[in-house]
Amino acid sequence: MAALDPSTAIGALMPWYPELGLTGFWLGAVATVYVLIIVTSVVVIPRNRRPTTALAWIITIILIPYLGVVLFFLFGTNQLPTRRRRMQAQVDGIIRDATDQIAPAEQVITSPSWFAQVTKLGEHLTAIPLADGNRLELHGTYNRAIRRMADEIDEAESYVNVLFYAMSHDDATAPFFDALERAVQRGVTVRVLFDHVGSMRYRGYKKMKHRLTQIGADWHRMLSLYPWQGGMQRVDLRNHRKLLVVDGRTAYLGSQNLISRDYHRGPKPGGDDLKWKDLMLRMEGPMVTGVNAVFISDWYAETEELLTDVFENDPVTPEPDEAEAEIEAGDQHDVFPCQLVPSGPGYENENNLRLFNQLLYAARERIVIVSPYFVPDDSLMYAITTAVQRGVSVELFVGEIADQFFVFHAQRSYYEALLRAGVRIMLYRRPYILHSKHITFDDSVTLIGSSNMDMRSFTLNAELMLMVHGEEFVNRMREVENGYRQRSFELTLDEWRQRPILTRALDNVARLTSVIQ
């Protein structure tokens, strides 16, 4: 039998390398390194990673080994740098100590029967208990919500804590920054955090930084791209939270960023004049302490400055029965038990994904999901389709159009399986980008906040969700959902099957990217 020529074998294994003109020793060296890369990848990459994600990275490295390794180091791990991971342990302690001030709900909630287990899960994941006595208001009109937050800042006496994924100075947000300036002039401490990547890509970013400096605010980038500010880390780890805390008295959270409603896209010739549709929530009560603790933990992660002294000057939150007594007759349902659920790459568990799945399996009658970016993993997909199969009505609101190309097409690749299972899909009509993020379960529980239902929100983004118990609050959310329904049209399976072949192909290819997004 004739001996096998090594160069022939290497050429068959790696057909692109002979084109580089490598022979003899150098070809052997390249092949050896290639084999080592593959072996190391097969051993290292699957550790603590979903098999689908691991396989996608291994195939990428096999096909483009050296570039693939570089991409993996840039995007392949959702862990924070070592320094930040050490700080995260301290951050967990900060949140735990701060939220020790929150008195757990004394009233045992027996309906629905599954709710106690859900709150136990939430407290196990975050150390934040369910607390009574939270007064909530919904704000779904975009510019009015900004003005309402500005009005809140005008009432600040001690401090204002601001954190938004995307911030820009423009005509819509100018009143907010003007209110910050007035607060500083009154002697109020103003602290501002914004995500570096989330903000820098929008027009008005430089003007926003200049304005914050001009008014005397203490501001910092979150998860900075600059190595000297945050260390080497995966460049697409992001802080996606949106929150405002005033004096520890009131807090805002939700889906809306601090930027013009069109995100500076402007009218397009012959196209859509895009407008974002969001939902913000104003809160008074003990859970404001939880929101403030999340801000303090993010502030510490970016500045290494601990702000625990802010709690010493916060107003004393009345006990739940006292808070109820302050509510006039006819508004007895204005206060609700709530539990805050922060999540992100600093946590060991995917807090939001675990909570979503637990609630999806627990619901008995009806689930309404609103998510602009819906790219579920297998566990979430099974939870949703299983809910339908056991007789639960499931309705999904997504946009007819979206602003994220690959995520939008990856999302569409799930529609057929959802429709076949019996999920009703409602498409919010263009030119609006439905950007709200909330879910209602039966007539009892609402989740509202910043988290989408996609892998980025589960593993790469720092998010913040609020779980609210109460039929009255669900009824308010039903009004919001009905408003969406009036502006939407239902997608049918027959219509979806008729979409062009090229569009189907694009959707399916985009779906492949979801495991490494």
Side-chain angles (χ1 to χ4, degrees):
M1 177 182 289
L4 179 64
D5 182 359
S7 62
T8 302
I10 293 171
L13 186 62
M14 301 177 295
W16 54 89
Y17 281 122
E19 298 178 6
L20 301 178
L22 299 175
T23 57
F25 172 80
W26 290 111
L27 184 59
V30 168
T32 300
V33 173
Y34 174 79
V35 171
L36 288 174
I37 289 174
I38 301 305
V39 172
T40 303
S41 299
V42 171
V43 172
V44 172
I45 290 178
R47 183 175 179 270
N48 295 327
R49 187 174 275 108
R50 288 182 176 83
T52 51
T53 304
L55 184 59
W57 277 114
I58 291 171
I59 292 174
T60 299
I61 290 173
I62 290 175
L63 295 176
I64 45 174
Y66 298 105
L67 178 59
V69 169
V70 172
L71 292 173
F72 178 76
F73 277 109
L74 287 175
F75 302 106
T77 174
N78 62 355
Q79 283 192 328
L80 296 167
T82 302
R83 180 183 69 86
R84 281 184 176 269
R85 290 202 299 273
R86 286 199 301 266
M87 293 177 69
Q88 181 64 40
Q90 296 172 285
V91 164
D92 291 342
I94 293 169
I95 294 179
R96 189 173 294 106
D97 292 342
T99 54
D100 278 345
Q101 301 182 37
I102 301 175
E106 295 182 1
Q107 179 184 359
V108 177
I109 299 175
T110 58
S111 178
S113 59
W114 45 262
F115 187 67
Q117 284 190 323
V118 176
T119 59
K120 183 177 181 180
L121 171 65
E123 187 168 359
H124 174 78
L125 294 172
T126 67
I128 302 177
L130 180 79
D132 288 331
N134 299 283
R135 194 167 188 174
L136 308 177
E137 298 175 6
L138 293 172
H139 295 274
T141 304
Y142 197 97
N143 290 339
R144 189 182 302 166
I146 294 175
R147 292 194 298 270
R148 185 67 185 88
M149 288 188 285
D151 292 341
E152 203 79 57
I153 293 169
D154 277 331
E155 298 177 10
E157 298 177 355
S158 178
Y159 65 86
V160 176
N161 292 334
V162 180
L163 186 162
F164 284 90
Y165 170 68
M167 285 183 64
S168 172
H169 189 283
D170 49 46
D171 291 343
T173 63
F176 187 96
F177 290 96
D178 292 344
L180 292 180
E181 181 175 33
R182 291 189 292 272
V184 172
Q185 291 171 349
R186 294 194 305 275
V188 173
T189 300
V190 173
R191 306 179 187 93
V192 178
L193 293 173
F194 54 84
D195 188 87
H196 194 180
V197 172
S199 297
M200 68 181 295
R201 51 186 171 157
Y202 295 110
R203 193 172 65 250
Y205 171 67
K206 291 183 178 179
K207 187 175 181 181
M208 178 264 293
K209 292 189 298 178
H210 175 75
R211 184 78 174 103
L212 289 173
T213 301
Q214 179 188 50
I215 66 181
D218 189 358
W219 62 268
H220 297 272
R221 304 173 183 87
M222 294 182 292
L223 295 171
S224 174
L225 292 180
Y226 304 139
W228 58 89
Q229 288 187 333
M232 296 301 294
Q233 62 196 13
R234 180 169 173 170
V235 297
D236 61 343
L237 295 181
R238 305 273 42 101
N239 193 314
H240 194 242
R241 295 168 180 155
K242 297 96 174 167
L243 64 89
L244 166 70
V245 180
V246 177
D247 291 344
R249 172 179 48 81
T250 59
Y252 286 75
L253 61 87
S255 67
Q256 184 171 328
N257 287 301
L258 195 65
I259 189 171
S260 170
R261 189 179 184 184
D262 65 355
Y263 278 59
H264 302 166
R265 301 296 176 93
K268 297 181 180 179
D272 293 311
D273 183 6
L274 299 180
K275 297 178 180 178
W276 267 244
K277 178 64 177 176
D278 280 287
L279 188 64
M280 293 294 282
L281 182 143
R282 180 185 183 273
M283 179 194 314
E284 295 179 7
M287 205 50 64
V288 173
T289 300
V291 179
N292 213 13
V294 171
F295 176 89
I296 289 171
S297 68
D298 285 337
W299 183 267
Y300 177 66
E302 299 302 333
T303 68
E304 300 189 28
E305 178 188 5
L306 200 51
L307 301 175
T308 51
D309 59 316
V310 302
F311 293 112
E312 298 174 2
N313 300 318
D314 283 354
V316 177
T317 302
E319 293 297 322
D321 55 344
E322 296 176 2
E324 286 281 5
E326 294 176 0
I327 307 299
E328 296 180 1
D331 281 333
Q332 292 299 310
H333 299 290
D334 268 358
V335 292
F336 302 95
C338 297
Q339 186 174 31
L340 200 68
V341 183
S343 60
Y347 289 90
E348 287 187 19
N349 300 297
E350 295 164 331
N351 296 352
N352 46 1
L353 177 59
R354 289 177 183 268
L355 186 65
F356 288 160
N357 279 336
Q358 177 69 14
L359 285 164
L360 288 166
Y361 279 115
R364 293 293 178 264
E365 298 174 0
R366 185 181 183 188
I367 300 168
V368 180
I369 302 169
V370 180
S371 180
Y373 312 119
F374 180 84
V375 187
D377 74 337
D378 287 345
S379 69
L380 196 62
M381 193 69 174
Y382 290 150
I384 292 172
T385 54
T386 300
V388 180
Q389 291 166 359
R390 67 172 188 272
V392 177
S393 168
V394 179
E395 196 171 14
L396 171 65
F397 283 88
V398 290
E400 180 186 6
I401 55 175
D403 62 316
Q404 302 291 337
F405 180 84
F406 282 106
V407 177
F408 178 59
H409 283 281
Q411 168 178 298
R412 288 159 50 96
S413 71
Y414 290 89
Y415 288 174
E416 183 167 347
L418 292 167
L419 291 168
R420 284 181 176 276
V423 176
R424 295 184 63 192
I425 298 178
M426 308 299 294
L427 300 182
Y428 199 81
R429 295 183 184 275
R430 63 175 69 224
Y432 293 96
I433 303 291
L434 182 59
H435 195 245
S436 304
K437 308 145 200 302
H438 47 84
I439 316 175
T440 51
F441 302 89
D442 295 343
D443 293 324
S444 307
V445 179
T446 302
L447 270 179
I448 181 171
S450 68
S451 180
N452 300 302
M453 298 184 78
D454 65 354
M455 294 312 302
R456 164 164 290 283
S457 291
F458 300 148
T459 60
L460 306 181
N461 289 347
E463 304 284 4
L464 187 62
M465 298 297 288
L466 182 73
M467 182 166 64
V468 184
H469 178 274
E471 184 177 353
E472 177 63 26
F473 192 78
V474 171
N475 290 338
R476 296 184 191 179
M477 296 303 298
R478 293 279 183 254
E479 294 178 10
V480 173
E481 294 163 0
N482 288 336
Y484 295 162
R485 196 170 288 107
Q486 292 173 9
R487 290 181 175 269
S488 304
F489 63 94
E490 185 169 359
L491 180 67
T492 67
L493 182 58
D494 289 340
E495 291 172 340
W496 191 241
R497 284 172 172 168
Q498 295 174 13
R499 71 192 194 281
I501 294 177
L502 289 178
T503 302
R504 295 187 188 187
L506 179 58
D507 294 344
N508 293 334
V509 170
R511 180 170 179 158
L512 295 176
T513 69
S514 65
V515 295
I516 55 175
Q517 285 174 1

